[in-house]
Structures are given as C-alpha cells and as structure tokens.
Amino acid sequence: MGDVKLKSPDIALFACIFGDKRVMILREVFCGFGELRRYDPNTRICVTSTPLKPIAAFVMANCGRVSSHSKVFDVCAGLCTTLLASAALAPGCRPVGIERAKDYLVSFPDIEKDFSSRGLPLPTLIHGDYRYLSIRRKAASGSSFDVILADPPYVKRERKDGDGEPLFEIMTTLAEDYSAGTSLLKPLSTHRRFS
C-alpha cells in the first residue's frame, strides 16, 4: 500500500456500478478487464472506425445517474455505446437514439443484435438528424427524457453540412426546445433523487 497521491497518481481509477449493484474499480486504460470486456468494440456486431470506448460510456451513464426508471436519449447514437452502457447499468431503462449515418455505416439491425446478445432491452432507434424538431419529437414520443447522453461526432463527415461544432449545435437545439415549451429534458425537480 502507501500514500494516496491525488495530484499526480500512478494510475487513475473509475468506479462503475453494474445492473446487479456490484461495483467495479477500473483502470483508466481499458485492457479487457472483467465485466467491461463484454462491451469492448471488438466484441460488437455493429462496428465503425471511431467507436466510443466502453469505460467512457459507463462513466457517462453513471454521471447521468441512469436508473431502471430512466428514459435515456442519445442524440448522436452511432453504435449506441452510451445506450448499451445505460441498459447494462439499469436494465429497466428505456434507451432511445437518433443516428443520421447511412445504413452502410451504422446498421440498426446489428445494433439490436448487440443489445439482444447481451440480454439487454432493445433501444428505440430513429434514423435522422437531431437538428430537426420533427426528428426530436419522434424520439421523445410524447414525453421528455430523464437523461440525455451524447458523444458528439467530431469528424469531417459530420461537419460537412453544419455551420458549427456538434456539441454547440446539440446545446442550441436543447435550448430552442426548452424556449418553445417542448423541452426534451425533464425538469430537475422531477428527477429521482440520489444519495
């Protein structure tokens, strides 16, 4: 053992809570450790050239406080790694994702196989661009989301028809929806409190 060095630690650790309430401590550099190995990009049926690493997705879902009652939304779903992590953490959650990539880049049937092969609830997947109100309303399906997670794309392909940065565009659309009275995110006061 020894002293804990918070300013410049030898390794960084993350704590992830899995669906059965077990806690795993994970090293910063993912190396196929324990439960996360099931979510590594090389185990996925649907694959792209820039997948989100599972450790980042599980940390995001934990930070978003996804619970079994959460309606979880990813506006740039891609391979649905954030939604896969959410469903693994909280099997009762309702994952919903929008993806605009063509079917030859991101296959919705393959994403569904990634979920079903792990015994997780299938996500609702919508092909379209989150910047269009009609697509966002279709995703919401009449009710706001408890959690919005996003790993926005930062590659040239996604920027070719947009003027700004994807994260700024996401925040702008959320603000516009809120101002119009059609907020995608439930007010904080209605969220489940965590201790």
Side-chain angles (χ1 to χ4, degrees), residues 21 65-70 146 187-195:
K21 304 295 184 226
R65 296 181 171 175
V66 173
S67 73
S68 292
H69 305 290
S70 298
D146 298 293
L188 190 56
S189 61
T190 64
H191 289 206
R192 183 174 163 220
R193 295 288 179 198
F194 294 84
S195 52

Side-chain angles (χ1 to χ4, degrees), residues 10-14 25-34 36 40 53-56 59:
D10 294 327
I11 60 170
L13 299 175
F14 297 97
I25 303 297
L26 309 165
R27 290 197 318 188
E28 184 176 21
V29 179
F30 177 68
C31 58
F33 179 78
L36 282 184
D40 196 43
K53 297 291 185 188
I55 191 161
V59 168

